[in-house]
Amino acid sequence: MEIRDPHTSGHQRKVGLLAVSISRRMGLKDRLCENIRTCGLLHDIGKLWIPSEILSKPGRLNHIEFEMITEHSRLGYEVLKEIEFDFPITPTT
């Protein structure tokens, strides 16, 4: 993601670190904390299907571009639901 969207360089890693820090402060077990860190790393994977011109566009997005950006979470779900993890990463219902 960092190659396609240099404006958010390090974002996934920072989200993962913040998520694991919060989960540890909550007293969650180490295994669950690491699973949460993994989810933080993967949370923007759907942006891989968003055109890089939109991801790196300076200034405001138009309506269509904004709609495309909001689709990244659904796109990420579609990819991740097909991958078997050792913990639930997408809803099972």
Side-chain angles (χ1 to χ4, degrees):
M1 277 304 309
E2 292 180 4
I3 292 169
R4 294 194 73 233
D5 187 8
H7 300 291
T8 60
S9 179
H11 172 71
Q12 287 83 4
R13 185 182 54 77
K14 291 173 187 173
V15 168
L17 291 173
L18 179 61
V20 78
S21 178
I22 291 169
S23 60
R24 285 195 175 124
R25 294 275 314 251
M26 293 173 62
L28 300 179
K29 295 184 187 258
D30 287 343
R31 178 73 174 175
L32 180 55
C33 291
E34 284 307 308
N35 292 349
I36 289 169
R37 185 183 69 80
T38 300
C39 290
L41 293 172
L42 294 173
H43 83 279
D44 272 344
I45 197 164
K47 285 186 177 179
L48 291 172
W49 287 268
I50 306 299
S52 59
E53 303 81 37
I54 293 174
L55 291 175
S56 61
K57 179 182 177 181
R60 293 181 61 98
L61 301 175
N62 66 39
H63 177 73
I64 294 169
E65 294 165 336
F66 182 79
E67 291 296 319
M68 291 177 77
I69 289 287
T70 61
E71 281 292 298
H72 87 275
S73 56
R74 184 189 61 75
L75 294 167
Y77 167 79
E78 293 298 325
V79 170
L80 294 174
K81 75 178 185 178
E82 302 299 327
I83 300 171
E84 189 171 321
F85 290 88
D86 63 348
F87 59 95
I89 198 162
T90 59
T92 56
T93 59

